[in-house]
Amino acid sequence: MLAPGVEDESIDLLSAALVIARTVYPAIDIAKYAGCVESLAVRARGIMQDSTESARIIDAVNRVLFQEEGFRGNRTDYYDPRNSYLNEVIDRKLGIPITLSVLYMEVARRVGLPLFGVGMPGHFLLKFYDVDGHHLLIDAFEGGQVIHEGDCQARLDEIYAGQAPLEPEYLHSVGKRQILTRMLNNLKNIYLTSRNFRKALTVVDLILAIYPRSPEDVKQRALLRYNLGQLKGSANDFEDYLKMSPDASDVDDVRQLALSIRRTMASFN
């Protein structure tokens, strides 16, 4: 589904997000959750009454998701990992900007409004284009509020205490692989903070399934494997990292660590 050769536009974002959740909830019925999303879209379509106006579609999606169903951002426990698993978001009606955005995108796509992810630091958004070709932004964490670029600086100020000026590239569209990787990076950081290295390792494995030639993630996996006592895998990853980044500033330290792991392994024989 996420192999490097698969075109980005061919990725089923909903299914891929649910596959991520299967690492923690292996019994997930993906078809069931796809049916839930389709049901939400059917209800929005009924409110639209065949309208193709983007404003009417957004109003319909907002009404179904946020007014009738009560989806909302989890402000009280933002870093709960359940906020990053789409099945939990759908079941609990709680999420963070990126998972609420994925749900919003999937419902909107089914009723005829293509949306694009916007990877603004600290607060994921959605973008759509009006009939004149101008883009507007949707904040799914704020109940589907339509916002403008000036509002984005206010969002950044809230997150970074006024220390992050809005850059044009912050509002560029991102592809499905980037969306999924950002979801995974959120989870990785949560598990690293709680020192749950085993779950963090599972997440890094998924990141590397999407971007297998990411040196920093290969090194991250090496460190996680080392902490979990998986010495052979750790040494292999460190050595792969050295091949990928021969000019990195930490090559000497990594080379010594890989050599030390190999010596430790040899002493077991």
Side-chain angles (χ1 to χ4, degrees), residues 163-237:
Q163 301 303 306
L166 181 67
E167 303 291 346
E169 60 267 24
Y170 291 173
L171 301 183
H172 290 175
S173 300
V174 296
K176 294 177 182 177
R177 276 190 173 80
Q178 291 168 289
I179 293 172
L180 294 165
T181 303
R182 180 155 168 168
M183 290 174 64
L184 289 167
N185 277 321
N186 287 341
L187 279 167
K188 180 185 74 173
N189 291 333
I190 289 168
Y191 290 135
L192 287 175
T193 299
S194 63
R195 299 187 65 79
N196 191 332
F197 296 144
R198 196 165 299 280
K199 284 189 175 181
L201 176 58
T202 299
V203 172
V204 174
D205 280 337
L206 289 173
I207 293 172
L208 285 167
I210 301 174
Y211 292 110
R213 303 299 296 172
S214 168
E216 286 305 311
D217 289 305
V218 169
K219 184 174 74 171
Q220 181 76 75
R221 186 170 67 181
L223 291 166
L224 288 167
R225 285 176 163 172
Y226 180 71
N227 278 283
L228 291 167
Q230 300 177 12
L231 298 186
K232 183 177 179 181
S234 176
N236 289 340
D237 279 340

Side-chain angles (χ1 to χ4, degrees), residues 237-254:
D237 279 340
F238 278 131
E239 289 161 1
D240 285 344
Y241 171 73
L242 292 171
K243 293 173 186 175
M244 292 176 180
S245 302
D247 300 320
S249 60
D250 60 354
V251 290
D252 290 337
D253 291 339
V254 171

Side-chain angles (χ1 to χ4, degrees), residues 7-187:
E7 295 292 332
D8 197 84
E9 58 268 23
S10 299
I11 294 171
D12 183 334
L13 185 60
L14 177 64
S15 294
L18 290 167
V19 166
I20 290 173
R22 263 190 176 163
T23 61
V24 175
Y25 309 94
I28 283 177
D29 183 344
I30 290 179
K32 169 194 161 186
Y33 285 99
C36 289
V37 173
E38 181 60 38
S39 176
L40 294 169
V42 167
R43 287 163 56 188
R45 201 175 294 121
I47 295 169
M48 290 160 45
Q49 297 182 344
D50 298 324
S51 174
T52 59
E53 294 180 12
S54 57
R56 186 74 178 272
I57 297 173
I58 291 167
D59 285 344
V61 174
N62 286 352
R63 177 172 159 183
V64 171
L65 290 182
F66 305 115
Q67 296 177 30
E68 297 179 1
E69 287 295 317
F71 282 93
R72 64 197 186 280
N74 191 346
R75 300 176 187 277
T76 58
D77 200 359
Y78 192 89
Y79 296 102
D80 184 334
R82 292 177 295 179
N83 296 328
S84 291
Y85 293 116
L86 199 59
N87 63 311
E88 288 280 11
V89 173
I90 292 172
D91 289 343
R92 299 170 69 230
K93 296 182 171 53
L94 284 171
I96 53 176
I98 192 165
T99 46
L100 290 171
S101 291
V102 169
L103 176 62
Y104 200 109
M105 287 176 75
E106 288 297 303
V107 174
R109 178 176 65 82
R110 285 166 169 77
V111 295
L113 181 65
L115 298 174
F116 304 91
V118 174
M120 190 175 78
H123 198 96
F124 197 86
L125 298 167
L126 295 168
K127 178 191 290 186
F128 72 98
Y129 291 88
D130 62 21
V131 291
D132 297 319
H134 301 117
H135 75 257
L136 291 171
L137 300 160
I138 298 172
D139 190 340
F141 192 73
E142 296 289 348
Q145 180 182 1
V146 176
I147 64 174
H148 302 272
E149 291 189 13
D151 301 308
C152 295
Q153 184 62 65
R155 298 284 196 275
L156 289 173
D157 290 343
E158 292 172 8
I159 299 165
Y160 299 107
Q163 301 303 306
L166 181 67
E167 303 291 346
E169 60 267 24
Y170 291 173
L171 301 183
H172 290 175
S173 300
V174 296
K176 294 177 182 177
R177 276 190 173 80
Q178 291 168 289
I179 293 172
L180 294 165
T181 303
R182 180 155 168 168
M183 290 174 64
L184 289 167
N185 277 321
N186 287 341
L187 279 167

